[in-house]
Structures are given as structure tokens and as C-alpha cells.
Amino acid sequence: MTQLTNQRFLFPEKAVSGYLNGASRSPQLKALAAAARHAIWWREENAGMPIPAFFETVSLVKAEFAQLINCAEPDRIAVLPSTSYGIATAAKNLPLQQGQNIIVAEDQFPSNYYSWLERCKEVGAELRVVARPEPGATDSWSDRVLAAIDHKTAAVAIAQVHWADGSLFDLAAIRDRTNDVDAWLIIDATQSVGAFPTDVSALKPDVLCAGGYKWLMGPYGCGYAYFGERMDGGTPLEENWINRAGSEDFRNLVNYREEYRPLAGRYCVGQQSNFIMMPMQLEGLKQVNAWGAENIQAYCNELWSGVAPILANVGIELPEERAHHLVGLKLTDDFDRDVLSAEFERRGLSLSYRGDAIRVSPGCYNLPEELAELAGAFFKAVK
């Protein structure tokens, strides 16, 4: 693992100064803006588009995402407009019968909840929501998910890293248990892939989806999915021309084809070739691969190590098991929340409030001084 140095120079300074909110959306890389400007310039100068341009950049994007999740088959990657598109695709194809159950975690992101709620209503299945353990509990959240799985479980649909507080789920153990009962594992990796190591060759999920505008450094409105063998030959959400075999041959598009493009090619969104966004997505994925998720975790861990003892002095303990790029700090009644919010604003810090936690999500563009300002804000807000 190569030690990662601060990457602030790759972003506009105004965008990253005090920005501890990468879990909301990433700051925009300079390279993405340059790619968009070039794409717009090219469009201004050219009325048409060469046929290969409909396919080439899409293939490169799939290959970059496949590399990121250690997938040996780029054709198992689909280009999507959002995580919810991938989840809905999985829900449409999941064999589900009356009396079975689907398991989700409490306070899961809505995009990985509503599709399962509606699917369960549709067939008379149970949506089983696993509660977060209370402080001091002897079992973990993963333990509770494992305990909820039984012979009637059709699928576990869960995040790798919980979006609200950064809780880590033991996906390897959950995968083993779902295999025991022949259930699917569907992963929302939006808050993990790109910043946290993800290996589908080891984990073998049935579906893994990720929005592209957070840790994958892409523009808003893009996403990706890995579809495993259970999804081979499934039914896509939409029937578009470009997902069919032979779509490179524009002259024969009127000669309709039954066959789809290989593997996950059938699940890609229509107009996937988006000639402005696709070059931006490619630049973002290339940069994330160049950084390496292990290196990002190590960099963010170093940021926290400098302030963890200071935060502990005012009663803010970092979770023992956590992803270093997304940490939920639980507030006690010892803090004046109005003062704390004002201090964050005064110090130019951007972060998020999720439930009873303050979500702090740094990246490799942040400086130790910014985490020190965070600690200083907590000190000022002690009652």
C-alpha cells in the first residue's frame, strides 16, 4: 500500500476548504470540469456523433468500475442513473413468494427500502427491519442481521457502510448465512465503494449498486451496478435499443433482435452514452482507482488519530468499528446544539446531521487543521 498524501491540489480550493461532507456529495475534481468543457466544445463543433462513441467510453467506464470492486468481468457491470434504478432491477428479478421475508437494516437509506416494501406488499411477504443495537448491547448490528435470517428469507438488502452513522456490516458473515438458506445478498455500496475496500470476487453478492456522485467522484445522476450469476438472463427495467445484441450496426436496428448484450448489458439505462456525463464519470473513476480505497482509509484514519483524544476529553468517543471516511458522532445532553451548529458555521465547516448523530465524512482533500477545527467546535459547545 502506497501512502497517500493530501490531494487538495486536484480540487478548487473553495470547494474543499472545511468540507467534511463527502457522504453527501463529492467536491468536483478539476479533471471532471475539464472533461465536461471538452465534451461541450466538441458538441458545439460537431452536429453528429461517430457510432463508436456510443460504446467506447461506456466500455471504459465499466472496466474502471470493475477494477474498483475487483470484478474480473467488466460485462457484469451496468451503467445506471442511480442506486435506486439498480435496486429496483434487483427487486423485479428476485423470486419472492407469499410468506417469505426480505431483511433490511433500521434507518436504511430510502432507495434501498421502498422497492423492498412494495415488493413485499405485492406478494404478501414480510419486510423484516433489524433494529440498531442500543448503547451497551453485547451483540452487534451484524449479529442481529444474522439472527434474523431464517429458512424463509429470500434476500438481505443492506449497505456495506450505513449512510447515517458509518456502521460497518459484516458482509462476509451475512453472505455465508444467506448461502446457507439460498437467499440473495443485495448491497447498497453507495457510501463505501471508492473509499472503502470492496471485493466482489471474494464476497460474491448477487447485486451491488452504487451512486456515482459521492465517493466515486462523478457527476450527479450517475451510478453503477454489479450483477452476479443469479441475474444472468433476467428482465431489465426498460427495453432500449442499445442493450440489444448488434446495436453497433445502426443500419440494421430495424431488424429487431431477441438477444441482449452480454451479461449485465441488458440492465443498462437508456441513453447510457451520455456524451457530457460519461467522460466526467470516466475521469472520476480513474482518479479513485489511482488513489486506492485502502489508501483513502489510511489517510482518513490519520486525520482522526490526531483529534480522537481531544474529542474524548469532551465525551465524544469514536465508534470502535468504523469506516474512517464516514463517522457518526453521537451527541449527549452535555452539548448545546445551537452553539455547536453556530460554531461549525463560524469555522467554515460543512457536515451533516443524520438522526441523533453528526455525520463527519472527510476525504483525501482534507487537512488535519480542519479536523482540529471540528474538535474546537465541540469544546465551545460544552454546556
Side-chain angles (χ1 to χ4, degrees):
M1 185 171 68
T2 304
Q3 185 174 2
L4 188 65
T5 58
N6 184 270
Q7 302 292 293
R8 204 177 187 92
F9 65 95
L10 296 173
F11 301 85
E13 174 64 27
K14 183 179 180 180
V16 295
S17 179
Y19 193 71
L20 299 171
N21 207 12
S24 178
R25 65 173 179 170
S26 70
Q28 183 168 275
L29 288 156
K30 295 175 183 177
L32 261 73
R37 283 193 289 268
H38 181 269
I40 291 170
W41 167 83
W42 197 95
R43 181 70 179 90
E44 287 177 338
E45 298 293 318
N46 298 272
M49 184 63 66
I51 292 175
F54 283 81
F55 304 92
E56 290 173 347
T57 309
V58 172
S59 294
L60 292 173
V61 163
K62 289 183 179 183
E64 289 289 339
F65 186 76
Q67 178 184 336
L68 194 61
I69 61 173
N70 196 25
C71 171
E73 300 175 276
D75 281 341
R76 289 205 171 276
I77 307 304
V79 175
L80 311 176
S82 63
T83 301
S84 59
Y85 191 100
I87 296 295
T89 302
K92 182 174 183 175
N93 286 275
L94 173 70
L96 183 66
Q97 298 177 1
Q98 184 177 11
Q100 289 186 298
N101 63 73
I102 295 173
I103 294 172
V104 299
E106 182 183 18
D107 295 336
Q108 197 154 279
F109 194 75
S111 293
N112 196 20
Y113 174 83
Y114 287 126
S115 283
W116 307 117
L117 176 66
E118 295 305 318
R119 188 84 172 89
C120 286
K121 287 180 181 178
E122 190 178 288
V123 302
E126 175 192 0
L127 184 63
R128 192 170 287 179
V129 181
V130 179
R132 177 191 284 106
E134 296 296 325
T138 57
D139 57 344
S140 70
W141 210 345
S142 294
D143 291 335
R144 294 190 174 193
V145 172
L146 292 169
I149 299 170
D150 59 27
H151 69 282
K152 291 186 177 181
T153 300
V156 176
I158 201 166
Q160 187 174 24
V161 173
H162 198 283
W163 74 291
D165 63 6
S167 295
L168 287 172
F169 291 97
D170 187 349
L171 294 185
I174 294 170
R175 172 77 284 185
D176 287 345
R177 181 67 182 125
T178 56
N179 284 338
D180 289 343
V181 298
D182 198 31
W184 288 30
L185 175 62
I186 297 108
I187 300 170
D188 176 2
T190 298
Q191 292 293 7
S192 53
V193 68
F196 191 84
T198 307
D199 186 346
V200 297
S201 69
L203 189 58
K204 294 181 172 56
D206 297 291
V207 179
L208 179 146
C209 305
Y213 66 98
K214 297 179 187 285
W215 305 106
L216 298 176
M217 299 288 148
Y220 194 76
C222 68
Y224 314 94
Y226 160 89
F227 290 106
E229 292 180 4
R230 278 184 166 124
M231 290 289 291
D232 291 353
T235 304
L237 281 189
E238 57 175 287
E239 302 291 349
N240 59 63
W241 69 272
I242 200 168
N243 287 351
R244 296 285 176 161
S247 53
E248 299 93 338
D249 185 359
F250 280 27
R251 293 173 300 177
N252 283 307
L253 289 180
V254 294
N255 296 320
Y256 304 131
R257 301 279 296 271
E258 290 289 328
E259 316 96 289
Y260 291 95
R261 301 182 72 83
L263 300 177
R266 69 182 60 208
Y267 298 119
C268 291
V269 68
Q271 299 187 23
Q272 62 198 252
S273 308
N274 190 309
F275 304 113
I276 306 299
M277 285 179 57
M278 197 55 64
M280 299 172 73
Q281 291 175 239
L282 181 59
E283 289 299 321
L285 290 172
K286 286 165 62 177
Q287 183 60 72
V288 172
N289 268 319
W291 286 332
E294 296 87 350
N295 296 325
I296 292 174
Q297 284 298 298
Y299 183 90
C300 292
N301 187 34
E302 189 65 23
L303 289 176
W304 284 110
S305 66
V307 298
I310 302 172
L311 290 170
N313 284 337
V314 291
I316 299 292
E317 298 286 347
L318 300 184
E320 289 186 14
E321 294 185 12
R322 67 178 185 275
H324 304 305
H325 69 289
L326 197 168
V327 179
L329 303 179
K330 298 294 180 68
L331 289 181
T332 67
D333 292 335
D334 296 328
F335 294 92
D336 187 316
R337 285 164 168 75
D338 292 335
V339 171
L340 187 59
S341 180
E343 282 293 316
F344 289 152
E345 184 174 356
R346 185 178 73 81
R347 295 164 188 264
L349 300 178
S350 175
L351 36 74
S352 293
Y353 298 85
R354 294 293 183 268
D356 62 350
I358 292 177
R359 190 182 69 181
V360 185
S361 47
C364 57
Y365 40 80
N366 287 119
L367 298 169
E369 293 85 349
E370 289 164 329
L371 273 292
E373 288 290 341
L374 177 76
F378 278 103
F379 262 86
K380 286 286 188 180
V382 174
K383 291 181 181 177

